[in-house]
Amino acid sequence: MDRYLAFDIGGTFLKYGVVYEDMTLFETNKLKTPNSLEGLLRAMKEISVLYKGVNGVAVSCPGAVSGEGIIKGSSALHYLHGPNVKRLIEDRLNVPIFMENDAHCAGYAEFWKGAAKGRKDVLVMVLGTGIGGAVFKNAELHKGANLHGGEFGYMLLNSEVQDSNDVWSRVASTKALVRVVAERKNIDVDSLTGEQIFTMAEAGDEVCLQALDRFYHLLAVGIYNLQYIYDPEVILLGGGISAREDLIKKIDEKLDGILAVVDLAKVKPNIEACKFKQNANLFGAVYGWLKEFDCSKVAPI
């Protein structure tokens, strides 16, 4: 059976795995995302050497990915923006590369064989270092006039705009959660992880509990806005945090509170976790590769 090497370039981790054409995952691993483009290319090359004989390489990454391979917009990895990253990866790995925005990849996976299969109007949110998104209308990906369709993370939640720190990604991402807790505990932000915050909260840490409560509220506010902008059938949540079994329940509770106050709102957002959770980006990148290079193996979504 054909197999494909997939990379998910994130602001915190570079994830990778081998995906079979039937969408089974042979193995997956991750390492801290290198702090330079050369470091990233070197790491991807070293990983690809370990998996010789794959049929193709698919890449999920942040930012607005153009057809030619230039990543527009902005992200936590500033070095991705400007050069033709796709071409650089192809030259280094010496194989044809499919590259697409991470949230778009997550959406592809969910429409292919996941929680969006059989649906038409869907929003996908990827929660991580920032907040990414994808818009699907009639089961077709909508990229927008400037390739920014679905960039929910740029949404403003504060009407008194001071700077870029007021955008949704900077206040309601997992990176924002870590920053808030680090500041309140007066510790180095690099010494703390989201996983540690959840563990400390479960042990009763008041700072972590309060930060998580605010985190869930801010996510719910943005999701409420998205529901009334687009009115999708479902809003799917992906990213590493989507693996937490209580995520949907906590956000759902905050949505109930918002709807109780805003009595004009009668439609409650239907939120679900991506079926493939933290691996959705890897699977979706492979779907994109098959769609571009071997469409006989995938049916249109």
Side-chain angles (χ1 to χ4, degrees):
M1 189 182 297
D2 290 345
R3 61 192 188 126
Y4 307 86
L5 175 59
F7 290 97
D8 179 21
I9 304 170
T12 305
F13 293 109
L14 170 64
K15 300 176 186 177
Y16 59 93
V18 175
V19 179
Y20 285 92
E21 63 182 76
D22 66 351
M23 238 179 157
T24 55
L25 193 62
F26 171 63
E27 64 179 72
T28 183
N29 210 332
K30 66 181 180 181
L31 54 87
K32 188 170 178 57
T33 303
N35 58 14
S36 69
L37 180 56
E38 176 55 32
L40 176 68
L41 295 171
R42 189 184 309 118
M44 294 177 76
K45 176 64 176 179
E46 290 172 356
I47 292 166
S48 70
V49 169
L50 300 175
Y51 299 103
K52 292 179 180 178
V54 295
N55 295 76
V57 176
V59 180
S60 157
C61 64
V65 182
S66 67
E68 63 269 23
I70 296 173
I71 304 175
K72 301 179 181 180
S74 62
S75 72
L77 299 175
H78 304 299
Y79 60 74
L80 291 179
H81 304 277
N84 191 315
V85 176
K86 179 181 177 183
R87 186 178 301 156
L88 290 171
I89 297 173
E90 284 179 334
D91 290 346
R92 191 65 62 98
L93 273 58
N94 197 31
V95 292
I97 299 292
F98 171 82
M99 187 172 73
E100 182 55 275
N101 169 270
D102 47 11
H104 294 175
C105 287
Y108 276 153
E110 296 303 317
F111 267 98
W112 188 15
K113 293 185 179 180
K117 188 173 178 63
R119 287 165 157 162
K120 292 186 177 181
D121 297 340
V122 175
L123 297 182
V124 178
M125 284 174 52
V126 175
L127 307 174
T129 306
I131 298 177
V135 178
F136 287 85
K137 180 67 177 174
N138 291 325
E140 292 287 337
L141 176 65
H142 173 74
K143 291 191 175 185
N146 300 290
L147 302 179
H148 276 60
E151 291 289 354
F152 311 139
Y154 292 128
M155 184 164 53
L156 294 166
L157 300 189
N158 179 12
S159 61
E160 301 298 325
V161 182
Q162 301 296 320
D163 52 37
S164 294
N165 288 318
D166 289 320
V167 303
W168 198 23
S169 277
R170 298 286 178 87
V171 298
S173 62
T174 52
K175 183 178 181 179
L177 173 65
V178 170
R179 186 185 68 249
V180 167
V181 172
E183 288 175 354
R184 291 183 183 175
K185 287 182 170 291
N186 196 27
I187 61 176
D188 182 6
V189 69
D190 292 328
S191 69
L192 188 64
T193 67
E195 290 91 342
Q196 290 172 325
I197 291 173
F198 284 103
T199 299
M200 289 188 288
E202 289 164 0
D205 186 290
E206 194 60 35
V207 169
C208 293
L209 285 168
Q210 291 176 3
L212 280 170
D213 186 70
R214 182 65 176 167
F215 172 70
Y216 291 130
H217 171 74
L218 290 170
L219 283 175
V221 170
I223 288 169
Y224 169 92
N225 290 339
L226 293 175
Q227 180 65 43
Y228 281 89
I229 290 168
Y230 184 61
D231 197 24
E233 298 167 63
V234 65
I235 298 175
L236 299 177
L237 306 186
I241 194 176
S242 66
R244 292 196 60 84
E245 294 182 0
D246 61 347
L247 177 68
I248 300 299
K249 176 177 176 289
K250 294 291 188 182
I251 298 175
D252 223 30
E253 290 171 355
K254 292 298 183 183
L255 285 169
D256 285 337
I258 292 170
L259 292 172
V261 174
V262 186
D263 58 5
L264 297 175
K266 303 300 181 185
V267 178
K268 181 180 178 180
N270 176 27
I271 57 173
E272 298 177 14
C274 287
K275 176 180 177 180
F276 301 109
K277 297 184 170 63
Q278 67 269 31
N279 294 321
N281 298 5
L282 298 176
F283 287 127
V286 170
Y287 173 86
W289 193 98
L290 292 170
K291 186 165 162 285
E292 183 165 320
F293 296 110
D294 194 357
C295 60
S296 64
K297 292 185 178 178
V298 291
I301 57 176

